[in-house]
Amino acid sequence: MNKAIVIGAGFGGIASALRLRAKGYSVQIIDKCERLGGRAQVFEREGYKFDAGPTVITAPFLFNELFELFDKSREDYVEFKAVNPWYQFYFADGTRFNYGGSIENTLNEIAKFNPEDQKGYLDLVKKSQEIFDVGFTQLSDKPFHSVWSMLRQIPALLKLRSDRTVWQLVSRHISNEKLRQAFSVQPLLVGGNPFNTTSIYNLIHFLERKWGIHFAMGGTGALVDALGKLMTEVGIEIKLGTEVRQLVVEGKQITKAVLADNSEVEADIFISNADPLHLYRNMLSSRSSNLLAKLKTKRAKLSMGLFVLYFGTTKKYADVEHHTIWLGKRYKALLRDIFQGDSLPDDFSLYVHRPTATDPSFAPDGHDSFYVLAPVPNLKANIDWRAEGPVLMKRIIDALERTILPDLKKHIVHEFYMNPEDFQREYLSEAGAGFSIAPLFSQSAWFRFHNRGEGPSNLYVSGAGTHPGAGLPGVISSAKVVDRLVPSPIRQVETTQPREVEVGV
Ligand SMILES: Cc1cc2nc3c(=O)[nH]c(=O)nc-3n(C[C@H](O)[C@H](O)[C@H](O)COP(=O)(O)OP(=O)(O)OC[C@H]3O[C@@H](n4cnc5c(N)ncnc54)[C@H](O)[C@@H]3O)c2cc1C
C-alpha cells in the first residue's frame, strides 16, 4: 500500500496530502482549478489583489502543525499578523461596535450599548469555553464514523444543551438586540443560520478569544503558496486544471480515478476533498456508496450561497477596519429569506474585507482593495443570477456609499463578482452553496458525512461537508481525522525529511 490520491486542493485536501506524505505515502493531489487552495483562489487586476474566499485566520497552531510534520517552521514560509479589532460591527443606525482584543476592551464596548450586559458577556464567554473544551479540544479531530462514537458523546452534548440554538444561548446572556446580533453571527462564518444552528458552534466564540484573529501577510493566497511550496519540497505531486470525473470501484475498493480527458490514475488510497454531495452523487456509481451516504445525500440541508463583490478604490478609506460586519435593518427575517426563501431579498447584510488596512501590498500606493460578501439564497432558490447579479452589485455599492465608503462611485475600479453559479461551476459545490451542508445538529458529528468513506473501503473524505465542518480550522481538523483513520503504508516512500512512522497496517 503506497500511493494516495487526493482529489481537491482546498485546505482540507492540502492538509490531507501533507499528512499522508508524512505518514510515508507517495501522494498526488489533483484539482480542477488552475491554482491550489480551493475556495481560497486569488484574483489580480492591474495592481489590485483580492483573496477570493477565506480571509480570517483563527487557531494558527493548526497551520503550524502542517509544517512541523516535516520539522519545518511555518514562520519561515509565511507571516501571520494579529488583527485588532477582530471585527467592527456597523449597525443600520450608524452605531459601531468594536469586537476583539482583551475581555476589558470588549466589556468597555458593551458598556456603550448596555452596561447590564457586561456580566452576561462574562457568562457567555465561560459557557463558550465549556463548549469549546468538548466540541473543539476533545472532538474536532476525532473520528465519528461509528454510531457508538456518537452515543458516547450524547451525555456531554445534552449537558452542554446542544439542542439550544446559537441565538437562544446568546439571548440567555445578552439582552441588547444589537449585541445579540453581534455575538450570534459566528454560524454564518461556517454556513449556518444562527436561529437554527446548534449552540455547539458557540465554540467559535472561545476559539477567537483563545488565539485571536490573524491575517496571513500577502493574503490567504500567500498561505496557500507557502503550503504549495512545502508540498513540492516534500515530494507531493501536484496536478492542477484537472477534474476527476469518476472513481472506479472493483469489489469493495476504488482502483482508479478517471480524469476529464479519460486518462486513468491508479492508487491504493483515495481521499476526496470534493463536496461530499458531488462525490456521492456524481463521482461514485450509486451501487458504490452505502445506504447512510444515500440518505444523507437525499436529505441534505445546504448552507447559503454567497455573492462576493471585489473592487479597488483610487483612494484609501483609512477609517474602515480590516474586517467590518455591516448589518442591515432586518436580522432574523433576512436570515429566514436567505436560508428558506425562494427569491433574492431586496436588502442584505455584508462582510466587508479591507486587506489594505493590514497589508498595503494588496493595492497600488494610496489605494484600497476590497471584497464585500453578502449571504444570499443558494441555487435551490429561483433566482436568475444573470439578471439579478448586476442589480445586487449596484445596490451594494449604493448602500456602502451612503454609509462607510462615501464617494465610492467616484473612486471604484475593477469591480467584478462571484455568485452561487460561479461556486457551482468553479468548485463543483452542490447548488453553489458556500460551505457545503449546513451546520445543523442533525448534520453534525456522526450525522455529517463521515471521514471514512461511506462505501469503498479505501476511500476517505476531508473538507467542509465532513466532520467537524466548514471553516479553515474545521477542514484542517478533518485532515487530522483522516490521518488517524488511514493505515500506515506497507512500504514507505522516502520524504526529503523523513519522519518516524509506524510500519504495518
Ligand atoms: C467567500 C468565503 C469566505 C470565507 N471566509 C472564511 C474565513 O475568513 N475564515 C475561515 O476559516 N473560513 C472561511 N470560509 C470557509 C472556508 O474557506 C471553507 O470552509 C474551506 O476553505 C473549504 O475547504 P475544503 O477543504 O472543504 O475545500 P474547498 O475550498 O471547497 O476546495 C475543494 C476543491 O476541490 C476541487 N474539486 C472538487 N471536485 C473535484 C473533482 N472531481 N476533481 C478535481 N477537483 C475537484 C474544487 O474545485 C476545489 O478547488 C470562507 C468561504 C468562502 C467561500
Side-chain angles (χ1 to χ4, degrees):
M1 202 180 291
N2 271 329
K3 179 164 181 187
I5 289 183
V6 180
I7 302 148
F11 274 93
I14 292 174
S16 304
L18 287 165
R19 288 192 168 274
L20 264 70
R21 187 73 189 106
K23 213 170 174 125
Y25 281 89
S26 145
V27 180
Q28 183 181 31
I29 186 164
I30 304 176
D31 198 295
K32 78 180 278 293
C33 295
E34 296 296 335
R35 269 187 74 112
L36 293 167
R39 280 150 222 257
Q41 296 291 305
V42 178
F43 304 124
E44 309 215 21
R45 300 279 190 279
E46 291 179 35
Y48 296 89
K49 188 164 63 172
F50 310 96
D51 273 322
T55 57
V56 176
I57 305 284
T58 47
F61 79 95
L62 287 168
F63 299 92
N64 299 352
E65 282 178 354
L66 296 174
F67 291 87
E68 286 158 10
L69 288 169
F70 304 94
D71 296 327
K72 301 200 181 215
S73 171
R74 191 263 306 152
E75 288 84 347
D76 293 337
Y77 289 73
V78 57
E79 181 194 349
F80 287 171
K81 196 162 177 183
V83 174
N84 203 1
W86 301 336
Y87 303 101
Q88 180 172 83
F89 288 86
Y90 176 89
F91 298 100
D93 62 0
T95 49
R96 294 170 197 244
F97 172 65
N98 284 330
Y99 172 51
S102 66
I103 293 258
E104 279 67 38
N105 294 146
T106 304
L107 291 176
N108 290 339
E109 286 289 307
I110 289 173
K112 293 183 194 160
F113 288 80
N114 182 16
E116 283 165 24
D117 278 333
Q118 287 178 312
K119 156 101 182 43
Y121 179 69
L122 293 174
D123 293 339
L124 180 65
V125 174
K126 198 161 155 264
K127 189 78 201 163
S128 305
Q129 178 167 10
E130 285 167 22
I131 296 173
F132 172 91
D133 288 343
V134 176
F136 187 81
T137 312
Q138 291 179 31
L139 303 181
S140 69
D141 60 0
K142 305 291 181 320
F144 258 108
H145 57 274
S146 94
V147 73
W148 300 114
S149 53
M150 185 77 203
L151 291 176
R152 263 202 309 273
Q153 299 307 330
I154 295 283
L157 295 174
L158 286 176
K159 197 164 158 228
L160 291 171
R161 292 298 313 265
S162 325
D163 56 310
R164 280 193 189 127
T165 66
V166 166
W167 177 261
Q168 284 167 337
L169 175 64
V170 170
S171 300
R172 280 175 71 81
H173 297 289
I174 304 285
S175 59
N176 179 275
E177 184 63 20
K178 287 187 207 159
L179 295 176
R180 282 181 172 179
Q181 292 178 10
F183 291 126
S184 68
V185 294
Q186 278 92 352
L188 286 163
L189 310 179
V190 289
N193 180 346
F195 289 90
N196 64 15
T197 297
T198 163
S199 56
I200 286 288
Y201 282 88
N202 258 84
L203 70 81
I204 300 175
H205 193 95
F206 192 74
L207 188 109
E208 292 172 345
R209 263 278 148 237
K210 189 167 169 71
W211 288 292
I213 281 189
H214 302 260
F215 186 66
M217 294 305 280
T220 308
L223 172 58
V224 170
D225 290 345
L227 290 164
K229 181 165 180 261
L230 176 64
M231 286 202 288
T232 307
E233 284 169 359
V234 301
I236 293 172
E237 192 189 332
I238 301 170
K239 193 172 171 68
L240 296 171
T242 306
E243 183 181 336
V244 173
R245 283 278 159 83
Q246 211 198 335
L247 295 171
V248 177
V249 179
E250 289 171 28
K252 289 194 158 57
Q253 297 232 319
I254 301 174
T255 50
K256 55 194 172 194
V258 182
L259 311 184
D261 63 2
N262 282 328
S263 61
E264 296 174 349
V265 226
E266 296 185 350
D268 306 287
I269 296 275
F270 292 80
I271 288 109
S272 171
N273 179 229
D275 184 346
L277 291 166
H278 179 74
L279 166 71
Y280 290 113
R281 278 206 180 123
N282 306 319
M283 292 167 65
L284 282 167
S285 72
S286 75
R287 272 177 294 121
S288 310
S289 55
N290 66 23
L291 190 62
L292 201 55
K294 287 193 182 83
L295 260 177
K296 287 186 218 174
T297 309
K298 191 163 167 217
R299 300 210 171 141
K301 293 201 170 52
L302 290 164
S303 58
M304 73 288 195
L306 301 172
F307 180 90
V308 196
L309 171 62
Y310 309 87
F311 57 87
T313 55
T314 54
K315 65 168 274 195
K316 255 196 184 320
Y317 287 92
D319 57 347
V320 175
E321 298 290 353
H322 190 133
H323 303 292
T324 301
I325 297 190
W326 185 105
L327 290 160
K329 284 198 182 111
R330 298 193 306 149
Y331 189 62
K332 186 175 184 179
L334 174 62
L335 288 167
R336 192 191 51 229
D337 288 352
I338 291 169
F339 282 89
Q340 288 150 33
D342 193 36
S343 58
L344 186 64
D346 288 338
D347 56 344
F348 37 74
S349 283
L350 307 169
Y351 158 63
V352 180
H353 183 224
R354 187 171 83 91
T356 22
T358 305
D359 183 348
S361 76
F362 271 73
D365 273 354
H367 295 203
D368 268 334
S369 147
F370 282 95
Y371 102 36
V372 179
L373 179 157
V376 292
N378 61 40
L379 298 178
K380 301 263 179 206
N382 187 18
I383 299 170
D384 173 359
W385 277 107
R386 209 181 284 192
E388 303 264 24
V391 179
L392 180 57
M393 173 167 87
K394 186 177 172 310
R395 267 197 261 131
I396 290 175
I397 292 171
D398 284 344
L400 290 172
E401 179 165 82
R402 273 198 313 273
T403 53
I404 58 173
L405 303 181
D407 293 329
L408 176 59
K409 281 184 236 166
K410 223 190 304 168
H411 296 287
I412 193 167
V413 286
H414 303 301
E415 61 272 35
F416 63 99
Y417 57 80
M418 285 184 80
N419 67 42
E421 285 176 353
D422 299 309
F423 279 80
Q424 184 175 55
R425 190 185 54 253
E426 299 298 323
Y427 310 134
L428 301 177
S429 189
E430 180 80 9
F435 307 84
S436 187
I437 55 173
L440 304 170
F441 185 73
S442 58
Q443 298 190 142
S444 296
W446 182 78
F447 300 109
R448 210 165 177 84
F449 285 100
H450 294 173
N451 308 93
R452 186 191 284 285
E454 293 164 275
S457 60
N458 57 345
L459 172 66
Y460 300 85
V461 191
S462 63
T466 64
H467 170 68
L472 300 183
V475 303
I476 293 174
S477 298
S478 75
K480 271 176 138 173
V481 184
V482 165
D483 190 1
R484 285 177 197 274
L485 294 172
V486 171
S488 298
I490 288 167
R491 188 163 56 79
Q492 295 164 45
V493 179
E494 283 288 296
T495 59
T496 45
Q497 303 260 329
R499 183 182 74 148
E500 292 272 306
V501 271
E502 260 174 55
V503 181
V505 180

